[in-house]
Amino acid sequence: MSVESAYVQPKLRYAWLWWAIGYLLLAWTVNDSLESHPPDFGGLFASDKVLHFTGYFLLATWFGGVTRRSRYWLVGVLLIAFSGALEIAQGLMHNGREAEWLDLLANALGVTSALIVASLGLGKWLVWIERLLGLQK
């Protein structure tokens, strides 16, 4: 196996489905971020910063699985910008939610951490899922 081929992610047969699910996850994030009462996960998360980190880690992990490795930087920029836009919207809506810089920092750290993990080889997780389920040609 050449070094170059190690960095090329095999094509996903159902990429359209994985992208659609990703967009639904983004819509869910918008809803949860802008509703007047944030979701309560029964004390599962020690602080809301852990929740922010985890949520954006999962989003970046998802999009890292459907995106070529060469585009991870774009995924990171877009998710952090998305996060910033939601924080600004929270501050402008005056519905009991506040924009917080520490939330944005936790989100950015979650995105960055997930994309580092993806870069180390785990970004192919959706390819592995398709193979496991017999969906690859």
Side-chain angles (χ1 to χ4, degrees):
M1 174 187 294
S2 72
V3 173
E4 184 177 308
S5 67
Y7 294 102
V8 176
Q9 182 161 326
K11 288 209 179 259
L12 292 166
R13 185 165 186 199
Y14 293 95
W16 62 271
L17 174 64
W18 308 128
W19 279 105
I21 292 171
Y23 292 135
L24 288 173
L25 292 171
L26 290 175
W28 184 15
T29 302
V30 169
N31 182 63
D32 282 355
S33 297
L34 298 181
E35 66 184 0
S36 59
H37 300 290
D40 179 19
F41 292 97
L44 180 63
F45 297 97
S47 82
D48 78 318
K49 303 311 177 248
V50 174
L51 177 61
H52 280 268
F53 176 92
T54 303
Y56 278 85
F57 183 92
L58 293 173
L59 281 173
T61 298
W62 186 269
F63 286 105
V66 296
T67 306
R68 293 187 316 261
R69 184 177 181 179
S70 64
R71 297 290 178 114
Y72 286 171
W73 68 271
L74 183 59
V75 168
V77 167
L78 291 174
L79 283 176
I80 293 169
F82 174 77
S83 165
L86 288 176
E87 288 300 320
I88 291 169
Q90 284 177 348
L92 294 175
M93 290 181 65
H94 304 293
N95 67 348
R97 303 287 295 265
E98 295 179 11
E100 292 186 46
W101 284 107
L102 289 178
D103 288 349
L104 180 59
L105 177 62
N107 298 344
L109 289 173
V111 169
T112 303
S113 298
L115 294 176
I116 289 170
V117 170
S119 294
L120 294 174
L122 295 178
K124 298 177 184 175
W125 71 272
L126 267 175
V127 172
W128 300 334
I129 295 293
E130 283 193 352
R131 285 182 184 155
L132 180 69
L133 297 175
L135 301 175
Q136 288 278 330
K137 289 182 179 179

